[in-house]
Amino acid sequence: YALLQLHGGAYVMDFNDTYRVVAKTYLKISDDLKIFSPIYSLAPKHPFPQALNETVRLYQYLLEHGFSHDHIFIAGDSAGGGLSIAATLYFRDHDIPLPKALIVMSPWTNLAMNGKSHEANKHVDPLFGEGTKPLNITAYVRRNDVKNPYISPKYGDFTRFTDMLMFVGGDELIESDTLDVAEAAKENNEVIVHDFLGMFHVFPLAFNKIHSSRTAWKIIKQYITDKTRG
């Protein structure tokens, strides 16, 4: 089995030591799981669709080098979570066999930054709420339509998609985006979404420091174990 791990960082921040810990955490789940963590190109030098194109090429590389599509997981957090979903929409639209499942943490699926929780949680989100530094969305999107599903997969069609395990924090600005994607996708696919009350953006990356993070990784471990047994 292979797991393609796509790091977060709003498409402008690079792979860092946190994601090395993520990779090691996935490795501990199963000796049969090989982790691929690309350092994809970043905005503003490389705006959309560069990161998407590189993800598609790497996935195709895995298919061409011994990994069956149903033996590949794609995992990502924040922008990496959105990219995981966007890439899978691209695979579906271009008749590329879909991965076994996606595992996404606080996926950034709506770069238009609107919706129910964008209003409800703007006073409580510690990372992206009122008074925080705004995200440089234009750096990645440029002149493209921000509602293009390959940029903001919330606006995509999830017919003939794949299974997903999703996490989001109850205090997140993007909480409703994750829930909306889960609702749309579950009509045709197995979707499990965990909305953790009072949690912040990408809370599983606190690893063993808080109870909710430990719980999330236990869920992930069980999910991968169940999927690789099937």
Side-chain angles (χ1 to χ4, degrees):
Y1 284 87
L3 186 143
L4 175 53
Q5 174 199 337
L6 302 175
H7 70 83
Y11 298 107
V12 297
M13 289 179 278
D14 212 342
F15 188 95
N16 56 46
D17 285 342
T18 295
Y19 295 106
R20 292 184 178 88
V21 177
V22 173
K24 290 178 181 177
T25 305
Y26 279 120
L27 279 171
K28 290 176 182 177
I29 290 175
S30 172
D31 293 335
D32 295 327
L33 198 62
K34 292 179 172 58
I35 314 300
F36 296 84
S37 300
I39 301 175
Y40 57 82
S41 297
L42 301 171
K45 185 177 180 180
H46 301 287
F48 174 83
Q50 185 70 21
L52 175 67
N53 291 341
E54 290 175 5
T55 301
V56 171
R57 286 198 295 268
L58 178 53
Y59 182 76
Q60 290 177 313
Y61 176 89
L62 296 178
L63 293 177
E64 293 164 1
H65 288 79
F67 291 100
S68 171
H69 70 97
D70 59 355
H71 278 209
I72 301 174
F73 294 90
I74 303 181
D77 68 282
S78 194
L83 183 58
S84 301
I85 300 171
T88 305
L89 288 173
Y90 183 96
F91 302 152
R92 191 271 317 277
D93 294 344
H94 293 81
D95 296 321
I96 300 170
L98 301 187
K100 180 80 169 178
L102 307 186
I103 301 168
V104 293
M105 306 169 182
S106 303
W108 195 20
T109 62
N110 178 20
L111 276 67
M113 300 297 284
N114 55 20
K116 183 178 178 181
S117 61
H118 289 268
E119 288 298 320
N121 290 343
K122 65 183 179 182
H123 301 298
V124 295
D125 188 319
L127 296 177
F128 304 113
E130 286 188 341
T132 63
K133 185 178 179 180
L135 293 166
N136 185 4
I137 294 169
T138 305
Y140 181 66
V141 176
R142 293 283 176 90
R143 293 187 178 90
N144 296 286
D145 181 0
V146 73
K147 294 185 178 181
N148 178 335
Y150 299 152
I151 295 174
S152 295
K154 175 180 174 176
Y155 300 98
D157 171 13
F158 288 90
T159 305
R160 296 185 298 106
F161 197 64
T162 194
D163 297 344
M164 284 195 290
L165 175 63
M166 311 181 80
F167 294 90
V168 71
D171 282 357
E172 290 199 64
L173 211 62
I174 64 169
E175 178 194 23
S176 60
D177 298 327
T178 299
L179 300 179
D180 287 346
V181 169
E183 186 66 26
K186 75 178 185 181
E187 292 184 16
N188 300 284
N189 317 278
E190 179 193 81
V191 178
I192 302 170
V193 59
H194 293 275
D195 188 355
F196 276 65
L197 183 66
M199 281 293 101
F200 49 86
H201 189 61
V202 199
F203 69 89
L205 297 196
F207 300 105
N208 290 322
K209 295 178 182 177
I210 60 175
H211 177 73
S212 294
S213 303
R214 293 192 294 272
T215 299
W217 281 104
K218 288 178 182 177
I219 293 169
I220 292 168
K221 180 178 181 179
Q222 190 61 55
Y223 185 77
I224 291 175
T225 300
D226 292 344
K227 287 290 185 184
T228 53
R229 283 175 180 166

